[in-house]
């Protein structure tokens, strides 16, 4: 079935780095733009980043620009989020998400992963 | 950046009630709006896309309307499973979510 599975979360000290992964299955991963969305504890949803289906374009929320890098490996059906210079305010559950259509890189999301928790704390 | 404002932030209702949640955009987003339902500890679930299109498998008691800057999500007859938090999302210009509406049992 269509599925996204995140991994790589954990507890990390401020200023350190972490890389999240999102393994896709059940659909043609290389045809879809892919996104990261996060949710701080008890808070709402915040869009983080998008990458085009072929990796040719990447866009970020202002809150993570210059610190986070989204990437993908279509041969491995995997999406990544490299998070550098982490701050306490980056503490959140991180979800990868797929748009409902492969013809639009930015759209509503019909497939979400289960989320992976990132805690930034000393 | 496009800002999305939901109201109310919290809504108390009973099973069988008809409820409406409003979402306003800071500028026109045409019909590029989605609604999600989220339960504690779970990922959001898509309910409505393109303002009024019902996602496959979503009960018909959910409906969406609006265009431009004002949108509504209506649940025609609340069921016990509907008590959750609801988010709107614009995708006219990248992605922005509303702050959420918590629907609780009265």
């Amino acid at each position: 079935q269509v599925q996204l599975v995140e991994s790589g979360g954990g507890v990390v000290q401020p200023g350190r780095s972490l890389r999240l992964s999102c393994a896709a299955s059940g659909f043609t991963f290389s045809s879809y733009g892919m996104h990261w969305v996060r949710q701080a504890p008890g808070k709402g949803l915040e869009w983080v980043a998008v990458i085009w289906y072929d990796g040719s374009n990447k866009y970020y929320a202002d809150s993570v620009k210059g610190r986070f890098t989204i990437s993908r490996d279509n041969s491995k059906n995997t999406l990544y989020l490299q998070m550098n210079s982490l701050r306490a305010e980056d503490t959140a559950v991180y979800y990868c998400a797929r748009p409902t259509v492969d013809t639009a890189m930015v759209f509503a999301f019909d497939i979400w992963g289960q989320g992976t928790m990132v805690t930034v704390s000393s | 950046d496009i800002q999305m404002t939901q109201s109310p932030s919290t809504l108390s209702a009973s099973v069988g009630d008809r409820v409406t949640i409003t979402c306003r955009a800071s500028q026109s987003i045409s019909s590029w709006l989605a609604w999600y339902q989220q339960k504690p500890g779970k990922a959001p679930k898509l309910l409505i896309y393109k303002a009024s299109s019902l996602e496959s498998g979503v009960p018909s008691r959910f409906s969406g309307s609006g265009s431009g800057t004002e949108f509504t999500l209506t649940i025609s007859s609340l069921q016990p499973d509907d008590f959750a938090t609801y988010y709107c999302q614009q995708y006219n210009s990248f992605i922005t979510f509303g702050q959420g509406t918590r629907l609780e049992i009265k």
Side-chain angles (χ1 to χ4, degrees), chain A residues 39 59 95 106-107 109 112-113, chain B residues 36 38 42-44 46 87 94:
Chain A
Q39 186 170 36
Y59 297 95
Y95 296 101
V106 179
F107 211 77
F109 302 135
W112 297 68
Chain B
Y36 298 87
Q38 188 180 34
K42 299 294 187 182
L46 178 64
Y87 293 93
F94 293 106

Side-chain angles (χ1 to χ4, degrees), chain A residues 35 37 39 43-47 50 52 59 62 95 100 106-110 112-115, chain B residues 1 32 34 36 38 41-46 48-49 55 87 89 91 94-99:
Chain A
H35 296 249
V37 176
Q39 186 170 36
K43 302 298 184 181
L45 300 166
E46 180 187 16
W47 174 77
V50 59
W52 257 225
Y59 297 95
D62 287 344
Y95 296 101
T100 57
V106 179
F107 211 77
F109 302 135
D110 64 340
W112 297 68
Q114 84 287 356
Chain B
D1 292 6
W32 302 119
Y36 298 87
Q38 188 180 34
K42 299 294 187 182
K45 173 187 175 183
L46 178 64
I48 302 284
Y49 63 95
E55 173 69 354
Y87 293 93
Q89 173 214 7
Y91 50 99
F94 293 106
I95 302 285
T96 315
F97 292 94
Q99 81 278 14

Side-chain angles (χ1 to χ4, degrees), chain B residues 80-96:
Chain B
D81 190 50
D82 299 339
F83 293 95
T85 299
Y86 292 84
Y87 293 93
C88 62
Q89 173 214 7
Q90 69 81 19
Y91 50 99
N92 179 75
S93 175
F94 293 106
I95 302 285
T96 315

Side-chain angles (χ1 to χ4, degrees), chain B residues 45 47-48 54-63 79 81-82:
Chain B
K45 173 187 175 183
L47 302 174
I48 302 284
L54 191 68
E55 173 69 354
S56 176
V58 174
S60 59
R61 63 181 180 271
F62 292 92
S63 64
Q79 298 303 301
D81 190 50
D82 299 339

Side-chain angles (χ1 to χ4, degrees), chain A residues 15-31:
Chain A
R16 305 297 291 262
S17 300
L18 204 61
R19 189 177 84 155
L20 306 182
S21 299
C22 169
S25 59
F27 66 99
T28 306
F29 178 72
S30 59
S31 295

